Amino acid sequence: MNWKQHWYKWIAAICLFYVILGGLFLPLKPGISGLSPVKITTGSTQTLKINVYNAPWLKENAFGDQNIGNGEFQIPGKVILVSKGIQGRWETSKIKFSGNHGQLLADIDFTMGDAKIPNEYYSVFVELSNGKYLGLPDAIFVERGLDDTAKPSTFIPKVNAAIETNREIFEMKFPNRMVLNESVRNLFYHVPMWFAMLALLGMACWYAVRYLRFGQLQDDVFADSLIRVGILAGILGCITGAAWARVTWQSWWPAADPKLNGVAIGMTMYLAYLLLRSTLSDPFQRARITSVYSVFIFPIFIALIVIMPKLSPNSLHPGSGGTVGFNKYDLDSTMRLFFYPAVIGWIALFYWIANLRYRIATLKEKQLNK
Amino acid sequence: MKQTITEQFDANAAELLAQHNLMNAVYAVLTIIFVGILLYLFRLDRKISKIEKQS
Protein backbone atom coordinates (compact mmCIF):
# COMPACT_ATOMS: atom_id res chain seq x y z
CA MET A 1 0.00 0.00 0.00
CA ASN A 2 1.27 3.41 -0.95
CA TRP A 3 1.20 5.50 2.23
CA LYS A 4 2.17 8.72 0.55
CA GLN A 5 -1.05 8.60 -1.42
CA HIS A 6 -3.37 7.32 1.27
CA TRP A 7 -2.30 8.90 4.56
CA TYR A 8 -5.08 11.48 4.78
CA LYS A 9 -7.72 8.84 4.09
CA TRP A 10 -6.55 6.89 7.11
CA ILE A 11 -6.52 10.08 9.16
CA ALA A 12 -10.11 10.76 8.06
CA ALA A 13 -11.21 7.23 8.98
CA ILE A 14 -9.48 7.10 12.37
CA CYS A 15 -10.41 10.65 13.45
CA LEU A 16 -14.06 10.31 12.44
CA PHE A 17 -14.44 6.89 14.07
CA TYR A 18 -13.03 8.33 17.31
CA VAL A 19 -15.06 11.53 17.12
CA ILE A 20 -18.41 9.94 16.31
CA LEU A 21 -18.07 7.21 18.93
CA GLY A 22 -16.77 9.52 21.67
CA GLY A 23 -19.08 12.35 20.71
CA LEU A 24 -22.15 10.16 20.99
CA PHE A 25 -21.36 8.05 24.04
CA LEU A 26 -19.41 10.21 26.49
CA PRO A 27 -21.80 11.53 29.15
CA LEU A 28 -22.50 15.13 30.09
CA LYS A 29 -21.31 16.59 33.38
CA PRO A 30 -24.04 16.82 36.00
CA GLY A 31 -25.95 20.08 36.13
CA ILE A 32 -29.19 21.86 36.97
CA SER A 33 -31.65 21.60 34.13
CA GLY A 34 -34.51 23.57 35.60
CA LEU A 35 -35.72 25.62 38.52
CA SER A 36 -39.05 26.58 40.00
CA PRO A 37 -40.04 29.26 40.74
CA VAL A 38 -37.86 31.57 38.64
CA LYS A 39 -39.03 34.69 40.43
CA ILE A 40 -39.12 35.15 44.19
CA THR A 41 -40.79 37.84 46.24
CA THR A 42 -39.08 38.20 49.60
CA GLY A 43 -40.74 38.24 53.00
CA SER A 44 -41.14 34.55 53.76
CA THR A 45 -39.56 31.11 53.58
CA GLN A 46 -40.00 29.57 50.15
CA THR A 47 -39.29 26.20 48.61
CA LEU A 48 -37.10 26.04 45.51
CA LYS A 49 -37.56 23.00 43.32
CA ILE A 50 -34.33 22.13 41.54
CA ASN A 51 -34.28 19.64 38.68
CA VAL A 52 -30.94 17.85 38.43
CA TYR A 53 -29.49 16.31 35.27
CA ASN A 54 -26.98 13.43 35.01
CA ALA A 55 -26.26 13.26 38.74
CA PRO A 56 -26.85 9.64 39.75
CA TRP A 57 -24.43 10.07 42.67
CA LEU A 58 -26.85 12.49 44.30
CA LYS A 59 -29.03 9.70 45.57
CA GLU A 60 -26.16 7.29 46.26
CA ASN A 61 -24.21 9.92 48.14
CA ALA A 62 -27.08 10.70 50.44
CA PHE A 63 -28.57 7.27 50.98
CA GLY A 64 -26.06 4.63 49.91
CA ASP A 65 -27.38 1.70 47.98
CA GLN A 66 -30.63 1.42 49.87
CA ASN A 67 -33.86 1.76 47.98
CA ILE A 68 -35.38 4.88 49.45
CA GLY A 69 -38.67 4.71 47.62
CA ASN A 70 -40.97 7.69 47.34
CA GLY A 71 -41.17 10.63 49.68
CA GLU A 72 -38.82 13.41 50.73
CA PHE A 73 -35.49 12.89 52.49
CA GLN A 74 -33.07 15.29 54.15
CA ILE A 75 -29.58 15.37 52.56
CA PRO A 76 -26.35 17.12 53.69
CA GLY A 77 -25.20 20.11 51.66
CA LYS A 78 -26.02 23.71 50.81
CA VAL A 79 -28.03 25.58 48.24
CA ILE A 80 -26.53 28.98 47.52
CA LEU A 81 -27.92 31.87 45.46
CA VAL A 82 -25.02 34.12 44.44
CA SER A 83 -25.68 37.71 43.49
CA LYS A 84 -24.41 38.97 40.15
CA GLY A 85 -24.26 42.68 40.96
CA ILE A 86 -23.54 43.27 44.63
CA GLN A 87 -21.44 40.82 46.61
CA GLY A 88 -23.57 38.57 48.73
CA ARG A 89 -25.83 35.57 48.78
CA TRP A 90 -28.85 33.75 50.11
CA GLU A 91 -28.21 30.26 51.37
CA THR A 92 -29.74 27.30 53.14
CA SER A 93 -28.68 23.88 54.37
CA LYS A 94 -32.27 22.64 54.49
CA ILE A 95 -32.19 20.47 51.38
CA LYS A 96 -34.44 17.54 50.70
CA PHE A 97 -34.27 14.95 47.94
CA SER A 98 -37.61 14.07 46.45
CA GLY A 99 -37.74 10.33 45.76
CA ASN A 100 -40.64 10.52 43.33
CA HIS A 101 -39.32 13.25 41.05
CA GLY A 102 -35.53 13.06 41.49
CA GLN A 103 -35.66 16.74 42.38
CA LEU A 104 -33.97 18.72 45.11
CA LEU A 105 -36.17 20.82 47.36
CA ALA A 106 -34.53 23.70 49.22
CA ASP A 107 -36.29 25.82 51.86
CA ILE A 108 -34.80 29.31 51.85
CA ASP A 109 -35.79 32.14 54.18
CA PHE A 110 -35.92 35.23 51.97
CA THR A 111 -36.05 38.37 54.10
CA MET A 112 -34.55 41.65 52.96
CA GLY A 113 -35.62 43.61 56.05
CA ASP A 114 -34.01 47.03 56.20
CA ALA A 115 -30.90 46.01 54.25
CA LYS A 116 -30.36 47.80 50.95
CA ILE A 117 -30.51 45.01 48.36
CA PRO A 118 -31.47 45.70 44.75
CA ASN A 119 -33.82 43.43 42.81
CA GLU A 120 -31.69 41.29 40.49
CA TYR A 121 -30.81 37.91 39.03
CA TYR A 122 -28.96 35.29 41.11
CA SER A 123 -26.99 32.21 40.11
CA VAL A 124 -27.97 28.99 41.87
CA PHE A 125 -25.44 26.47 43.21
CA VAL A 126 -25.89 23.20 45.03
CA GLU A 127 -22.83 22.27 47.08
CA LEU A 128 -22.88 18.79 48.59
CA SER A 129 -20.85 17.62 51.56
CA ASN A 130 -18.59 15.47 49.37
CA GLY A 131 -17.37 18.52 47.43
CA LYS A 132 -19.49 17.88 44.35
CA TYR A 133 -21.49 20.79 43.07
CA LEU A 134 -24.08 21.76 40.49
CA GLY A 135 -24.69 25.23 39.12
CA LEU A 136 -26.98 27.31 36.93
CA PRO A 137 -26.01 30.94 36.18
CA ASP A 138 -28.50 33.84 36.37
CA ALA A 139 -31.32 31.46 37.14
CA ILE A 140 -33.61 33.28 39.53
CA PHE A 141 -34.90 36.81 40.05
CA VAL A 142 -35.32 38.03 43.62
CA GLU A 143 -37.36 41.17 44.31
CA ARG A 144 -38.45 42.91 47.49
CA GLY A 145 -41.91 42.04 48.77
CA LEU A 146 -44.23 44.82 49.88
CA ASP A 147 -44.59 43.54 53.46
CA ASP A 148 -40.90 42.65 53.87
CA THR A 149 -39.90 45.13 56.57
CA ALA A 150 -40.47 43.63 59.99
CA LYS A 151 -37.83 40.88 60.40
CA PRO A 152 -34.01 41.20 60.27
CA SER A 153 -32.37 40.48 56.89
CA THR A 154 -31.25 36.94 56.06
CA PHE A 155 -29.09 38.09 53.15
CA ILE A 156 -25.37 37.34 53.73
CA PRO A 157 -23.35 40.26 52.35
CA LYS A 158 -19.75 40.39 51.12
CA VAL A 159 -18.70 36.81 50.94
CA ASN A 160 -16.90 36.98 47.67
CA ALA A 161 -14.91 34.06 46.30
CA ALA A 162 -16.92 31.79 48.56
CA ILE A 163 -17.87 29.75 45.55
CA GLU A 164 -15.89 29.50 42.36
CA THR A 165 -18.30 29.52 39.50
CA ASN A 166 -15.64 28.31 37.09
CA ARG A 167 -14.17 25.54 39.17
CA GLU A 168 -12.32 23.22 36.79
CA ILE A 169 -12.19 19.57 37.72
CA PHE A 170 -10.94 17.55 34.79
CA GLU A 171 -13.36 14.76 34.04
CA MET A 172 -13.71 12.92 30.76
CA LYS A 173 -17.20 14.39 30.33
CA PHE A 174 -18.71 17.13 28.21
CA PRO A 175 -19.78 20.37 29.92
CA ASN A 176 -23.42 20.81 30.83
CA ARG A 177 -24.45 24.19 29.45
CA MET A 178 -27.74 25.93 29.84
CA VAL A 179 -29.84 25.87 26.62
CA LEU A 180 -27.34 23.60 24.81
CA ASN A 181 -27.57 20.58 27.11
CA GLU A 182 -26.90 17.33 25.17
CA SER A 183 -26.75 19.16 21.86
CA VAL A 184 -23.31 20.52 22.84
CA ARG A 185 -22.01 17.44 20.98
CA ASN A 186 -23.03 19.04 17.69
CA LEU A 187 -19.83 21.04 17.97
CA PHE A 188 -18.06 18.00 16.49
CA TYR A 189 -20.45 17.65 13.55
CA HIS A 190 -21.90 21.03 12.63
CA VAL A 191 -18.90 23.32 13.18
CA PRO A 192 -16.30 21.21 11.26
CA MET A 193 -18.54 21.45 8.17
CA TRP A 194 -17.64 25.14 8.02
CA PHE A 195 -13.98 24.44 8.74
CA ALA A 196 -13.98 21.89 5.91
CA MET A 197 -15.70 24.35 3.59
CA LEU A 198 -13.20 27.09 4.39
CA ALA A 199 -10.26 24.71 3.99
CA LEU A 200 -11.49 23.43 0.62
CA LEU A 201 -12.36 26.86 -0.73
CA GLY A 202 -8.98 28.15 0.48
CA MET A 203 -7.20 25.33 -1.32
CA ALA A 204 -9.33 26.04 -4.42
CA CYS A 205 -8.18 29.65 -4.29
CA TRP A 206 -4.56 28.44 -4.11
CA TYR A 207 -5.00 26.15 -7.14
CA ALA A 208 -6.77 28.90 -9.07
CA VAL A 209 -3.76 31.14 -8.48
CA ARG A 210 -1.52 28.28 -9.60
CA TYR A 211 -3.53 27.92 -12.80
CA LEU A 212 -3.26 31.63 -13.56
CA ARG A 213 0.49 31.46 -12.86
CA PHE A 214 1.43 28.26 -14.75
CA GLY A 215 -1.52 27.62 -17.06
CA GLN A 216 -1.86 23.89 -16.32
CA LEU A 217 -5.45 22.83 -16.98
CA GLN A 218 -5.44 20.13 -14.28
CA ASP A 219 -4.96 22.80 -11.60
CA ASP A 220 -8.21 24.40 -12.72
CA VAL A 221 -10.03 21.07 -12.73
CA PHE A 222 -8.81 20.36 -9.19
CA ALA A 223 -9.83 23.85 -8.02
CA ASP A 224 -13.29 23.27 -9.49
CA SER A 225 -13.64 19.93 -7.65
CA LEU A 226 -12.58 21.55 -4.38
CA ILE A 227 -15.15 24.31 -4.80
CA ARG A 228 -17.97 21.89 -5.59
CA VAL A 229 -17.26 19.70 -2.57
CA GLY A 230 -16.74 22.86 -0.49
CA ILE A 231 -20.24 23.97 -1.46
CA LEU A 232 -21.53 20.53 -0.42
CA ALA A 233 -19.94 21.02 3.02
CA GLY A 234 -21.46 24.51 3.20
CA ILE A 235 -24.95 23.26 2.37
CA LEU A 236 -24.62 20.52 5.00
CA GLY A 237 -23.43 23.19 7.45
CA CYS A 238 -26.52 25.29 6.72
CA ILE A 239 -28.99 22.42 7.14
CA THR A 240 -27.37 21.00 10.29
CA GLY A 241 -27.14 24.52 11.70
CA ALA A 242 -30.86 25.03 11.06
CA ALA A 243 -31.71 21.76 12.83
CA TRP A 244 -29.56 22.75 15.80
CA ALA A 245 -30.88 26.32 15.92
CA ARG A 246 -34.47 25.02 15.96
CA VAL A 247 -34.00 23.38 19.36
CA THR A 248 -31.63 25.90 20.98
CA TRP A 249 -32.43 29.32 19.49
CA GLN A 250 -36.08 28.34 18.80
CA SER A 251 -35.87 29.26 15.12
CA TRP A 252 -34.79 27.51 11.93
CA TRP A 253 -33.01 30.58 10.62
CA PRO A 254 -32.60 33.49 13.09
CA ALA A 255 -32.27 36.13 10.40
CA ALA A 256 -30.84 38.77 12.72
CA ASP A 257 -27.61 36.80 13.06
CA PRO A 258 -24.85 38.39 10.94
CA LYS A 259 -23.11 35.05 10.47
CA LEU A 260 -26.17 33.56 8.78
CA ASN A 261 -26.63 36.59 6.53
CA GLY A 262 -22.95 36.48 5.61
CA VAL A 263 -23.18 32.79 4.76
CA ALA A 264 -26.30 33.36 2.65
CA ILE A 265 -24.52 36.00 0.57
CA GLY A 266 -21.29 34.00 0.40
CA MET A 267 -23.01 30.81 -0.73
CA THR A 268 -24.83 32.78 -3.44
CA MET A 269 -21.46 33.97 -4.73
CA TYR A 270 -20.22 30.41 -5.02
CA LEU A 271 -23.47 29.24 -6.63
CA ALA A 272 -22.90 32.05 -9.14
CA TYR A 273 -19.49 30.47 -9.77
CA LEU A 274 -21.21 27.21 -10.79
CA LEU A 275 -23.51 29.15 -13.09
CA LEU A 276 -20.61 31.08 -14.62
CA ARG A 277 -18.69 27.87 -15.23
CA SER A 278 -21.60 26.16 -16.91
CA THR A 279 -22.04 28.98 -19.43
CA LEU A 280 -18.49 28.75 -20.84
CA SER A 281 -17.61 25.86 -23.15
CA ASP A 282 -14.01 26.51 -24.21
CA PRO A 283 -11.90 24.83 -21.46
CA PHE A 284 -9.11 27.45 -21.46
CA GLN A 285 -11.41 30.42 -21.48
CA ARG A 286 -13.56 28.78 -18.79
CA ALA A 287 -10.50 28.05 -16.65
CA ARG A 288 -9.15 31.58 -16.92
CA ILE A 289 -12.42 33.39 -16.17
CA THR A 290 -13.56 31.14 -13.32
CA SER A 291 -10.09 31.14 -11.74
CA VAL A 292 -10.07 34.92 -11.62
CA TYR A 293 -13.61 34.88 -10.22
CA SER A 294 -12.82 32.35 -7.47
CA VAL A 295 -9.62 34.16 -6.45
CA PHE A 296 -11.68 37.32 -6.28
CA ILE A 297 -14.59 35.98 -4.17
CA PHE A 298 -12.64 33.95 -1.59
CA PRO A 299 -11.40 36.97 0.43
CA ILE A 300 -14.90 38.49 0.26
CA PHE A 301 -16.32 35.22 1.53
CA ILE A 302 -13.86 35.21 4.46
CA ALA A 303 -14.80 38.80 5.26
CA LEU A 304 -18.51 37.92 5.20
CA ILE A 305 -18.48 34.83 7.40
CA VAL A 306 -15.45 35.37 9.65
CA ILE A 307 -14.71 39.07 10.01
CA MET A 308 -18.14 40.74 9.77
CA PRO A 309 -19.82 38.59 12.49
CA LYS A 310 -16.83 39.30 14.75
CA LEU A 311 -17.33 43.03 14.39
CA SER A 312 -21.05 42.79 15.05
CA PRO A 313 -22.13 42.95 18.70
CA ASN A 314 -25.30 40.90 18.32
CA SER A 315 -24.42 37.55 16.79
CA LEU A 316 -25.73 34.45 18.51
CA HIS A 317 -22.67 32.47 17.48
CA PRO A 318 -19.78 32.17 19.92
CA GLY A 319 -16.68 34.13 19.01
CA SER A 320 -18.64 37.25 18.07
CA GLY A 321 -18.76 40.74 19.50
CA GLY A 322 -15.01 41.10 19.87
CA THR A 323 -14.44 37.89 21.81
CA VAL A 324 -12.33 34.95 20.77
CA GLY A 325 -14.26 31.80 19.97
CA PHE A 326 -11.93 29.24 21.48
CA ASN A 327 -10.87 30.64 24.84
CA LYS A 328 -11.17 28.63 28.02
CA TYR A 329 -14.72 29.73 28.80
CA ASP A 330 -16.09 28.71 25.44
CA LEU A 331 -14.36 25.40 24.94
CA ASP A 332 -13.38 23.17 27.84
CA SER A 333 -10.57 20.65 27.79
CA THR A 334 -12.70 17.56 27.10
CA MET A 335 -14.37 19.29 24.16
CA ARG A 336 -10.95 20.13 22.70
CA LEU A 337 -9.93 16.46 22.83
CA PHE A 338 -12.72 15.75 20.36
CA PHE A 339 -13.11 19.04 18.53
CA TYR A 340 -9.63 19.22 16.99
CA PRO A 341 -9.67 15.61 15.70
CA ALA A 342 -13.18 16.31 14.37
CA VAL A 343 -11.96 19.30 12.37
CA ILE A 344 -9.00 17.34 10.99
CA GLY A 345 -11.14 14.27 10.22
CA TRP A 346 -13.94 16.10 8.41
CA ILE A 347 -11.50 18.22 6.39
CA ALA A 348 -9.65 15.04 5.36
CA LEU A 349 -12.92 13.32 4.40
CA PHE A 350 -14.13 16.19 2.23
CA TYR A 351 -10.69 16.53 0.66
CA TRP A 352 -10.88 12.83 -0.17
CA ILE A 353 -14.26 13.30 -1.87
CA ALA A 354 -12.91 16.30 -3.80
CA ASN A 355 -9.99 14.18 -4.91
CA LEU A 356 -12.35 11.47 -6.20
CA ARG A 357 -14.31 14.04 -8.13
CA TYR A 358 -11.10 15.44 -9.60
CA ARG A 359 -10.01 12.01 -10.81
CA ILE A 360 -13.38 11.38 -12.42
CA ALA A 361 -13.28 14.76 -14.16
CA THR A 362 -9.77 14.00 -15.44
CA LEU A 363 -10.90 10.62 -16.79
CA LYS A 364 -13.76 12.30 -18.59
CA GLU A 365 -11.42 14.86 -20.11
CA LYS A 366 -9.08 12.15 -21.35
CA GLN A 367 -11.99 10.36 -22.94
CA LEU A 368 -13.15 13.50 -24.72
CA ASN A 369 -9.64 14.07 -26.09
CA LYS A 370 -9.37 10.55 -27.47
CA MET B 1 -37.34 30.72 26.86
CA LYS B 2 -36.13 30.49 30.42
CA GLN B 3 -39.58 31.64 31.53
CA THR B 4 -41.62 29.17 29.53
CA ILE B 5 -39.55 26.13 30.51
CA THR B 6 -39.70 26.86 34.20
CA GLU B 7 -43.35 27.80 34.15
CA GLN B 8 -44.18 24.34 32.93
CA PHE B 9 -41.91 22.91 35.59
CA ASP B 10 -44.57 22.10 38.16
CA ALA B 11 -46.96 20.71 35.58
CA ASN B 12 -44.91 17.71 34.61
CA ALA B 13 -41.29 17.20 35.58
CA ALA B 14 -40.83 14.07 33.47
CA GLU B 15 -42.23 15.68 30.36
CA LEU B 16 -39.95 18.63 30.86
CA LEU B 17 -36.91 16.41 31.16
CA ALA B 18 -37.76 14.71 27.87
CA GLN B 19 -38.21 18.09 26.23
CA HIS B 20 -34.94 19.28 27.65
CA ASN B 21 -32.99 16.31 26.35
CA LEU B 22 -31.58 17.58 23.10
CA MET B 23 -29.90 14.34 22.07
CA ASN B 24 -32.31 14.14 19.11
CA ALA B 25 -30.71 17.26 17.65
CA VAL B 26 -27.37 15.44 17.61
CA TYR B 27 -28.86 12.40 15.84
CA ALA B 28 -30.58 14.69 13.33
CA VAL B 29 -27.36 16.54 12.55
CA LEU B 30 -25.38 13.32 12.05
CA THR B 31 -28.12 11.87 9.83
CA ILE B 32 -28.24 15.01 7.68
CA ILE B 33 -24.47 14.90 7.17
CA PHE B 34 -24.40 11.23 6.21
CA VAL B 35 -27.39 11.48 3.89
CA GLY B 36 -25.83 14.54 2.25
CA ILE B 37 -22.46 12.86 1.71
CA LEU B 38 -24.10 9.64 0.45
CA LEU B 39 -26.24 11.55 -2.06
CA TYR B 40 -23.10 13.22 -3.39
CA LEU B 41 -21.29 9.88 -3.60
CA PHE B 42 -24.20 8.40 -5.57
CA ARG B 43 -23.92 11.30 -8.00
CA LEU B 44 -20.20 10.62 -8.45
CA ASP B 45 -21.01 6.96 -8.92
CA ARG B 46 -23.41 7.82 -11.75
CA LYS B 47 -20.70 9.89 -13.40
CA ILE B 48 -18.29 6.98 -13.29
CA SER B 49 -20.90 4.67 -14.78
CA LYS B 50 -21.38 7.09 -17.65
CA ILE B 51 -17.66 7.19 -18.38
CA GLU B 52 -17.49 3.39 -18.19
CA LYS B 53 -20.34 3.03 -20.67
CA GLN B 54 -18.67 5.36 -23.17
CA SER B 55 -15.27 3.64 -23.11
Side-chain angles (χ1 to χ4, degrees), chain B residues 6-7 19 25 31 37 47-52 54:
Chain B
T6 30
E7 271 164 16
Q19 188 190 336
T31 314
I37 289 177
K47 262 185 198 167
I48 296 175
S49 307
K50 239 184 236 169
I51 293 172
E52 278 171 344
Q54 278 168 5

Side-chain angles (χ1 to χ4, degrees), chain A residues 35 38 49 138 357 367, chain B residues 2 6 10 40 51 54-55:
Chain A
L35 205 67
V38 285
K49 288 184 189 166
D138 303 333
R357 203 212 163 267
Q367 208 168 41
Chain B
K2 201 192 279 179
T6 30
D10 284 329
Y40 192 79
I51 293 172
Q54 278 168 5
S55 58

Side-chain angles (χ1 to χ4, degrees), chain A residues 15-16 63 91 168 195 202 205 222 230 235 271 319 332 355:
Chain A
C15 282
L16 290 181
F63 312 105
E91 67 170 50
E168 278 262 351
F195 279 73
C205 184
F222 192 46
I235 291 170
L271 293 176
D332 89 337
N355 202 27

Side-chain angles (χ1 to χ4, degrees), chain A residues 277-289:
Chain A
R277 204 173 165 88
S278 69
T279 55
L280 301 164
S281 53
D282 176 54
F284 288 98
Q285 188 194 29
R286 183 175 62 196
R288 208 167 50 245
I289 291 176

